[in-house]
Amino acid sequence: MAKRRLNRRQAWRIKKIQDERIARAERKAALPEPPETGADLGPEQRGLIIAHYGTQVEVEALEGPHRGQTWRAHLRANLDSLVTGDQVIWCEGDPTGVIVAQLERKSVLSRPDPYGKLKPVAANIDQIMVVIAPLPEPHAMLIDRYLVAAETVNIEPVILLNKTDLLATDPALQQQMDDLLAIYPTLGYRILHTSSKAGGLEELHAALRERTSVFVGQSGVGKSSLVNALLPEADLRVGSLSETTSKGVHTTTTAQLFQLPSGGSLIDWDDSFAFLLGN
């Protein structure tokens, strides 16, 4: 069923109610013991959306006695579209909580829907890790489109060359990658080198620390493998390259946020950059 269209006064009233909930949650956060609001729902508190499952989301508590724990939650009617990375005001429930208000975003990634309207897919990103690999073969035009799209939404891009173990035994391939990437440091872009198989993730760990990042790039470049190397407990399903096309097989089904031991967080979604490229 189509979402009900609101007039200006209704939209103003809804925003006013959400602002009041946000202010109330902030006041409660300053109390030694937040008061209960009822038997069915707990007090209003800040949370972080870490995954979206249709009509429900998974929210991580950012305060209170259950800080760091995750809950499933329903969305209150008339909320704007929530995405992974959004900070919200929510109430615990048994067994399912409720999202009652959305906090202001500092950044948002969007993609066009079938009707050409932009639809948000991830929020509050600090940096975009543009992942490439020797195979599938990267192209300068594709990298440039990623970089331009990242600059357009004012989020710092970083080029991440993965699967560097493939270069150790192939001097020609090494030279090809060197030639391809030589221009980017002169333009001020950082380039990291990683391999989930051969180790050497220290540089990546340092780049992700205390920041919210998203991996983007072609299927098959090893994004899920990198997440598994950084967070073995994530256990993402890894796709292999097609033997006939040398292109990756899509494996990730939803944007998901993972907290890193270093203090940063990472959003993984296989198609997360198709929106900015207009695909």
Side-chain angles (χ1 to χ4, degrees), residues 96-131:
T96 308
V98 177
I99 308 295
V100 299
Q102 176 184 356
L103 299 178
E104 185 177 358
R105 293 166 173 163
K106 66 180 181 181
S107 64
V108 61
L109 303 181
S110 302
R111 66 173 298 168
D113 64 16
Y115 305 99
K117 296 183 178 180
L118 289 179
K119 178 181 178 181
V121 294
N124 298 317
I125 308 298
D126 295 314
Q127 62 183 355
I128 295 173
M129 313 297 289
V130 181
V131 185

Side-chain angles (χ1 to χ4, degrees), residues 38-262:
D40 295 330
L41 291 176
E44 293 173 342
Q45 58 182 296
R46 290 189 309 118
L48 174 67
I49 304 298
I50 62 173
H52 201 298
Y53 303 105
T55 60
Q56 293 186 359
V57 296
E58 189 168 356
V59 58
E60 177 184 334
L62 296 180
E63 58 192 16
H66 302 297
R67 182 175 181 177
Q69 297 183 18
T70 61
W71 301 68
R72 282 295 182 99
H74 292 289
L75 305 179
R76 185 65 59 84
N78 296 319
L79 279 177
D80 289 337
S81 179
L82 295 177
V83 295
T84 299
D86 267 325
Q87 290 199 18
V88 297
I89 301 299
W90 72 293
C91 300
E92 295 177 15
D94 186 10
T96 308
V98 177
I99 308 295
V100 299
Q102 176 184 356
L103 299 178
E104 185 177 358
R105 293 166 173 163
K106 66 180 181 181
S107 64
V108 61
L109 303 181
S110 302
R111 66 173 298 168
D113 64 16
Y115 305 99
K117 296 183 178 180
L118 289 179
K119 178 181 178 181
V121 294
N124 298 317
I125 308 298
D126 295 314
Q127 62 183 355
I128 295 173
M129 313 297 289
V130 181
V131 185
I132 62 173
L135 295 173
E137 181 182 357
H139 298 281
M141 183 176 295
L142 180 62
I143 297 173
D144 293 347
R145 293 175 71 192
Y146 284 142
L147 298 178
V148 169
E151 298 284 3
T152 299
V153 292
N154 199 30
I155 300 176
E156 179 187 358
V158 178
I159 300 172
L160 177 57
L161 176 60
N162 192 30
K163 300 185 180 181
T164 54
D165 54 290
L166 298 178
L167 305 177
T169 57
D170 193 331
L173 192 58
Q174 175 72 70
Q175 187 61 52
Q176 180 183 340
M177 290 297 100
D178 290 345
D179 293 342
L180 174 68
L181 298 176
I183 186 64
Y184 296 106
T186 68
L187 299 175
Y189 293 110
R190 286 190 296 159
I191 299 179
L192 306 182
H193 300 79
T194 61
S195 171
S196 58
K197 292 184 177 180
L201 297 180
E202 294 81 5
E203 189 179 23
L204 178 57
H205 274 292
L208 298 175
R209 188 169 296 122
E210 302 299 340
R211 310 194 75 186
T212 298
S213 309
V214 59
F215 282 177
V216 301
Q218 294 174 280
S219 294
V221 295
K223 299 188 298 294
S224 294
S225 295
L226 284 174
V227 175
N228 285 336
L230 294 166
L231 286 168
E233 62 273 19
D235 194 26
L236 297 188
R237 187 161 54 93
V238 178
S240 59
L241 291 180
S242 164
E243 293 182 359
T244 57
T245 65
S246 293
K247 295 182 178 179
V249 179
H250 292 281
T251 59
T252 310
T253 58
T254 183
Q256 189 167 359
L257 185 146
F258 300 95
Q259 298 290 1
L260 299 169
S262 62

